[in-house]
Amino acid sequence: MRSVRTVSRPRRLAAVLGIVVASIAAAIGWSGPNAPTADALAVRIIEIDTPGPLGPLTVFGDSVMYGSAINSPTLIDHLRAEGWGPIRFVAGAGFNTGTPHRAPDAARLTWWIDHWRSEGWEPSKVVVNLGSNDSVFCPDIECMRSTITSVLDRLGPASRVWWPQMTLQPSRANEQFRWNTALAQVADAQPNLDTWDWPTEMRTGPYPSSDNIHLAPSGYRARSARMSQIITARLATGQQTGVPASLPNATGAPSRFVPLEQRRLADTRFDPPPTGGRRTTGDVLRVELGDAVPPGTTAVALHLAAVDTRAPGFLAAARCGRPTDASSVNFLANTVRGGPAITPVGDDGSVCVQVVGDAHVVVDLQGAFHPDHPDGLGFDPLPTPQRLHDTRNTGRRTEIRLTAPAGAEAVAINLTTVDQDAPGLLQAAPCRTEVEVAALNYLFDPVIAASAIAEVGDDGTFCVTSTSSVDVIVDLTGTFSDSGALRFVPVVPTRMLDTRNGTGGWGPLHGATQTYDVRVAPSEARAVTGTLTIVQPWWPAFLTGAPCGATASTSSVNALEFGFAANSLTAGITAGELCITASSSTHTLFDTTGWWID
C-alpha cells in the first residue's frame, strides 16, 4: 500500500487524513496495536492552491484514480500543465459514491462534497472516477442510474461533471456493461454530465493491466496524459476578459454580388514567371484580375489552394500593399488544402496572396462584387443555417442535385466531406455545367469543410459533384437574387476574435458547448463575411457561426484534436454580433473581410 502525500495546508489535511484512515480501518475491522497507519492505506489527498487560467477543478476517485496520482508524471501534473488550478484531489482504495450509505464517511464522495462546501470550496467542475465499488451492490441498471444521479443531485445542476466509464474483471463483464449503460443513459438525460468510453480506449491504447481494472505504471502515465486532454476538452470554459476588437474601415462602396464564369487566375505550378514558381514564407503572389472582372469591382470571391506543401503554413488574401494578420487557408506539410476567400480589390485591379510556409498556390475566381452592375445580386441570410443534404443518410453518389429556394440565382453554402475513399475535390455549379475549379479539396482527412457561392441554373437547381467516393454534407446559409436586400461592404481583413491572446474580449480558450457573441461588424449590418478558424482543439471538434439566438444544427469548420482548419463564413448577425459555438474546447479565431447592409 502507498502513503498519503499532502500539498499545502498540512495541519488541516493531516486531520482530515486521520479521519480517512480511522474510518476505513474501523470499517474493515482493524484495531489495536496492529491497526493500519496512513502509510499502509492507498489514500491520497492533494490540494493545489495556485490559480490557473482554466480555474478550479475537483477530482475524486477510487483505486484506479489513486494509481494516476502516484505514477509520475501524475494526472495532477498534467492538469496543472494544462492550466487548471486550484485543484482538490482525493482518491483511495474502496472509495465510492456514498449512495446508499454503506462506507466510512471519508471514503464517500457525498461526504467530501459536504466537507468541501463547509470549507468554502464549491465543486463546480468535477472529475469522478467511480464505479466498481458501487456497481457490485446494484442488481440492475435502474439501481445504477439512481446511484449516479444521486451524486449529480448532491452537486447540483450548476456543476459540470466528467465521469469515465469503468472496466472490471472478465467474470464481471455483465456488471460492467450495466454500469456503463446506466452512466451513458444519465449523460444523455442530464446536460451537466459527460462520459468517456474508457473500455474502448483501454482496449486499443497503451494501457497494460493484469486484472482489466488497475494498470501497470506505464499505463497509468499514459492514462493520466490522455485524461488531462479530455478533461480539458470537456470541462474547460472561457469567459469575457476584455472589450471587442476595433472594427476595420471600408475599402469600397456597398456592392452586389456578380456571378461570373469560374476560371483559374493563377497556378504557380504551371504559370510562367513572375506568377510561376513555389512560394515560401514572406512571398506575396500578386494576381492581376484584368478583364476577368467588371471595371469598378470592389471585391472578389476566390478559392485559394496550397498544393504540394513542404512546410506548415497559411495563405492570406488581401488588398495589395495592405498586410494583414488574418488567414484564409491553413495547411500542413505534404498535403493539398483549399479554401474560399472574399477579399477587396486594389485600385490597380489586383489582389495579393501572402504566403507563410512552402507551397504552390492556385487561385480560382468564383465571382465579383460591384456597386451598380446590372447583373448584381443582393444577399438574404437565413435566420438559421439549413441542412440541404447529407449522403450519410441517403447514400453516396458523385452528383447531388439540389433545389434552391424560390427566386434564388445563387446560394451561399457550406460543404463538408466525411470519410473519403480516395483524394478528390468537390465542385458546386449549375447542373450539367462543366467547371474546372474546385470548391473543396480533400485528401485523407476524416472531415473537411469549405464554403462556396454556387450559381443556380435556370431550372432552380444546382449540383455538387465529387471526383471520388465520399460522404458530402451541404448546408445553406443564404441566397442571392435580384430582390436580395443586402449589399456587401469590403474591408481590410481584420482579426476580430483570437482566444489565444484575448483579441475580441474572450479567453483563455473557447469551452465545449460555449457560445461567444463576438462583435464583427457595425450594429446596422445584418450579415458578415469572414474566415472562421479552429486551432488545436483538445478533442475532435467543430465550430458553428450563426445569428445570435439561432439554434443551428450545422457546422462551419471542423478539425481533429490538436489540428487546425479555416473556412470562410457568410452568415446573418444580430446587432453587429456573430455567435460562435464550439463543440469541444479549442481556440477560435475570426477575421472579418466585410459585412452586409441594406
Side-chain angles (χ1 to χ4, degrees), residues 117-406:
R117 284 173 170 160
S118 71
E119 295 189 325
W121 175 269
E122 180 58 41
S124 57
K125 295 178 182 177
V126 186
V127 174
V128 178
N129 196 115
L130 298 174
S132 62
N133 301 319
D134 290 276
S135 61
V136 68
F137 295 100
C138 276
D140 52 40
I141 291 177
E142 182 178 357
C143 171
M144 294 175 180
R145 283 200 306 266
S146 178
T147 299
I148 296 164
T149 302
S150 69
V151 172
L152 300 181
D153 290 344
R154 183 68 66 95
L155 288 168
S159 294
R160 296 184 60 193
V161 182
W162 185 78
W163 195 327
Q165 298 175 11
M166 70 163 180
T167 57
L168 291 172
Q169 301 96 331
S171 62
R172 298 171 66 186
N174 290 336
E175 182 185 332
Q176 172 186 311
F177 172 79
R178 291 194 298 272
W179 177 268
N180 291 340
T181 298
L183 190 59
Q185 289 176 352
V186 177
D188 287 340
Q190 301 211 27
N192 65 327
L193 174 64
D194 189 33
T195 188
W196 177 40
D197 186 359
W198 165 241
T200 298
E201 175 80 20
M202 180 179 176
R203 186 172 62 252
T204 59
Y207 309 106
S209 172
S210 60
D211 60 0
N212 202 47
I213 301 176
H214 305 93
L215 304 177
S218 64
Y220 278 119
R221 286 190 284 270
R223 187 176 193 259
S224 294
R226 184 64 172 152
M227 282 180 67
S228 68
Q229 295 172 4
I230 302 174
I231 290 167
T232 303
R234 306 314 300 165
L235 293 185
T237 55
Q239 60 185 333
Q240 196 160 14
T241 57
V243 298
S246 300
L247 295 173
N249 296 320
T251 61
S255 303
R256 291 162 69 87
F257 177 68
V258 182
L260 300 173
E261 179 182 354
Q262 299 185 29
R263 59 188 290 184
R264 182 144 293 171
L265 298 177
D267 188 336
T268 62
R269 296 171 297 178
F270 311 118
D271 291 344
T275 302
R278 297 187 66 86
R279 295 302 197 271
T280 58
T281 298
D283 287 345
V284 176
L285 174 64
R286 178 182 289 269
V287 180
E288 305 291 345
L289 299 173
D291 61 1
V293 299
T297 291
T298 60
V300 286
L302 304 174
H303 184 272
L304 308 179
V307 182
D308 186 22
T309 62
R310 295 180 182 174
F314 63 86
L315 306 178
R319 196 175 186 181
C320 295
R322 300 290 293 270
T324 176
D325 60 357
S327 64
S328 305
V329 177
N330 300 76
F331 55 85
L332 297 173
N334 304 311
T335 190
V336 175
R337 178 67 78 241
I342 295 178
T343 186
V345 174
D347 295 336
D348 61 352
S350 66
V351 296
C352 283
V353 179
Q354 302 172 27
V355 179
V356 172
D358 187 334
H360 278 294
V361 180
V362 179
V363 183
D364 295 328
L365 176 67
Q366 293 186 326
F369 293 86
H370 197 281
D372 51 15
H373 195 280
D375 295 329
L377 306 174
F379 179 61
D380 290 309
L382 267 63
T384 302
Q386 174 188 347
R387 180 141 294 174
L388 293 182
H389 198 83
D390 188 339
T391 62
R392 295 174 299 180
N393 301 325
T394 64
R396 293 184 178 186
R397 55 185 186 273
T398 56
E399 181 180 86
I400 305 170
R401 180 184 292 268
L402 299 166
T403 301

Side-chain angles (χ1 to χ4, degrees), residues 309-531:
T309 62
R310 295 180 182 174
F314 63 86
L315 306 178
R319 196 175 186 181
C320 295
R322 300 290 293 270
T324 176
D325 60 357
S327 64
S328 305
V329 177
N330 300 76
F331 55 85
L332 297 173
N334 304 311
T335 190
V336 175
R337 178 67 78 241
I342 295 178
T343 186
V345 174
D347 295 336
D348 61 352
S350 66
V351 296
C352 283
V353 179
Q354 302 172 27
V355 179
V356 172
D358 187 334
H360 278 294
V361 180
V362 179
V363 183
D364 295 328
L365 176 67
Q366 293 186 326
F369 293 86
H370 197 281
D372 51 15
H373 195 280
D375 295 329
L377 306 174
F379 179 61
D380 290 309
L382 267 63
T384 302
Q386 174 188 347
R387 180 141 294 174
L388 293 182
H389 198 83
D390 188 339
T391 62
R392 295 174 299 180
N393 301 325
T394 64
R396 293 184 178 186
R397 55 185 186 273
T398 56
E399 181 180 86
I400 305 170
R401 180 184 292 268
L402 299 166
T403 301
E409 297 184 47
V411 289
I413 56 175
N414 196 71
L415 304 171
T416 305
T417 57
V418 182
D419 293 334
Q420 65 281 353
D421 289 344
L425 57 87
L426 297 185
Q427 296 172 317
C431 299
R432 298 183 299 277
T433 300
E434 293 187 7
V435 294
E436 297 181 357
V437 301
L440 182 152
N441 303 83
Y442 53 87
L443 283 179
F444 296 105
D445 307 77
V447 182
I448 301 178
S451 66
I453 299 176
E455 191 174 355
V456 175
D458 294 338
D459 61 353
T461 67
F462 67 100
C463 282
V464 176
T465 59
S466 56
T467 59
S468 66
S469 178
V470 65
D471 276 314
V472 178
I473 303 168
V474 184
D475 297 323
L476 179 71
T477 61
T479 61
F480 295 87
S481 66
D482 285 333
S483 60
L486 304 185
R487 297 167 296 157
F488 180 69
V489 178
V491 303
V492 175
T494 301
R495 183 142 297 169
M496 305 304 298
L497 174 69
D498 189 337
T499 59
R500 299 172 300 180
N501 57 27
T503 297
W506 294 94
L509 47 65
H510 197 162
T513 74
Q514 278 193 294
T515 298
Y516 288 169
D517 51 323
V518 183
R519 188 178 73 173
V520 294
S523 57
E524 64 271 18
R526 292 178 50 196
V528 69
T529 292
T531 302

